[in-house]
Each structure stands twice: as structure tokens, then as C-alpha cells.
Amino acid sequence: MIDTFRLRNLPPYAKTFVGIFTALMLVVCVWAVWIFSSRYGGVDQDNLPPYLRQNTNDLKADIDELKADSSAVMAPVWDQKQAGREQKIDSATLSAIEHRKLPKDVSRYEGGGDPDRDLGLAHTHQNGQTLLFFAIGLVFLFTSVKPKMKTLVYWIFGVTILLHTVGLTGRSYAPIFGDLLSFAGFAVLVVIAYMALMIFADLAKRPVDQQ
């Protein structure tokens, strides 16, 4: 039955249903990429990698020294208004520098994460991705893709869901889990996009005589 049934032979209303479902799956992928880009695409000054991070202890010591020195002044500004005249550093200026330059969390992997929250998110993501695996995997089952390729896609999809869960669970403990989370999430999106394109390709084909 599975070997003989194909999506291309569905009646128009069934093709419409499968087509809308597959399009919504692609929207899920686009939304996931959008969320990832907005969350991790920019440079997070509060969570720079060690090789880009300023020496926080030295910077804190400099700020404390400026606070203790009542004669400390700002660097001269050579414009028409100040003309290079020295301006004393007040407490408000120092507070602004401290807030802007000192990260709220020196490292997201040094006690800055929330393991319990990540564990709950991992469980939620696993549930959702497992449902996606079943839903689009069931439709993909009836495409004209070769059986060996289907088997490979299913294995990749299942393993990447597991890796994504592991990465999300452990991202508060070590940077490698964050990298694993990004890699697995990207792989899941690629697999879903491939399956959706194959489904659309079959829906676009004309029915064939099954007799």
C-alpha cells in the first residue's frame, strides 16, 4: 500500500490540504530562523567570548580609582563649546560608564544561565519537534523519494532532534552545548525544508494510472 500510493495521485482537495500543511511547515522554519537571528545574530556586549572580553577586574579597578580621586577629569574635548577645558568626572558619569562597560554577566556559562529553565525548554522543544517529525514525516512517506533516501532523512531528523534537546539542556554549563544547540537546530530546519520541497514537487506532478 505504501509503495503504491503517491501524493501525486491525490484528488485536488487533498492536494490542497497537504499543500497548505507543508507551506505552514515552511513558515515554522522561517519563523525559527527569524527568532534565532534576532536573538543571536547581533553582538551581545554582555556575553562576548573570552578573547574579545575586556579585563573586567582591571576596568572595575580603574572605575573605583576614579571614584576615589576627586581631581579626576575627563579627556579634553576640542570643540567650540569646551575648547579643550578639563571637565571633572562626576558620580553620574562614572555610574553611566560602569553600567555601559561592565557586563551584567561576565559569562553565560559561569553561573549566568538557568539550568532548570533550560531543562523545561528542552522538554517543550522535544515535544514540539517530535510532533513535527511525525506530521511531516508521515506525508513525506508517500513521496516518490527513494526508500534509502527516506530512511536517511528520517534518521537525520530523529538524531538532530535528540542533539537539539541535549544542547538546550546543557547550554548553561559549557559553551559546547550552545554550539550543539545551534548546529542541531539548523540541521532540523534544513531537513524540514528538504522534506517540504520534495512534497511540493510530488504535488505538482500529474496523477498516474495505478492499474
Side-chain angles (χ1 to χ4, degrees), residues 55-68 94:
N55 190 321
T56 306
N57 293 330
D58 291 345
L59 183 57
K60 185 68 168 59
D62 292 341
I63 292 176
D64 291 340
E65 184 178 350
L66 289 174
K67 287 181 178 180
L94 287 175

Side-chain angles (χ1 to χ4, degrees), residues 162-205:
L162 180 60
L163 293 178
H164 185 271
T165 303
V166 173
L168 185 52
T169 301
R171 66 175 179 173
S172 297
Y173 298 100
I176 190 173
F177 288 102
D179 297 336
L180 180 63
L181 174 63
S182 300
F183 169 77
F186 177 76
V188 167
L189 296 179
V190 171
V191 171
I192 292 177
Y194 169 78
M195 296 170 75
L197 291 176
M198 294 300 99
I199 292 170
F200 279 130
D202 267 31
L203 292 177
K205 295 177 181 178

Side-chain angles (χ1 to χ4, degrees), residues 34-94:
W34 187 2
I35 293 172
F36 183 86
S37 299
S38 63
R39 183 174 299 174
Y40 301 107
V43 177
D44 186 357
Q45 297 296 336
D46 291 339
N47 292 300
L48 291 174
Y51 63 89
L52 291 178
R53 199 179 301 145
Q54 295 181 358
N55 190 321
T56 306
N57 293 330
D58 291 345
L59 183 57
K60 185 68 168 59
D62 292 341
I63 292 176
D64 291 340
E65 184 178 350
L66 289 174
K67 287 181 178 180
D69 187 1
S70 59
S71 62
V73 295
M74 299 284 291
V77 178
W78 295 94
D79 58 10
Q80 293 181 352
K81 182 179 180 180
Q82 296 190 17
R85 291 191 298 272
E86 293 181 342
Q87 301 288 331
K88 287 189 176 183
I89 302 179
D90 55 21
S91 58
T93 302
L94 287 175

Side-chain angles (χ1 to χ4, degrees), residues 117-152:
R117 179 176 179 272
D118 289 342
L119 183 62
L121 284 175
H123 182 259
T124 302
H125 280 220
Q126 186 183 34
N127 285 342
Q129 290 176 353
T130 301
L131 289 175
L132 293 179
F133 174 86
F134 174 78
I136 196 169
L138 181 62
V139 178
F140 182 72
L141 189 65
F142 299 104
T143 61
S144 57
V145 176
K146 294 182 178 180
K148 289 185 178 180
M149 188 62 182
K150 289 179 181 178
T151 302
L152 178 62

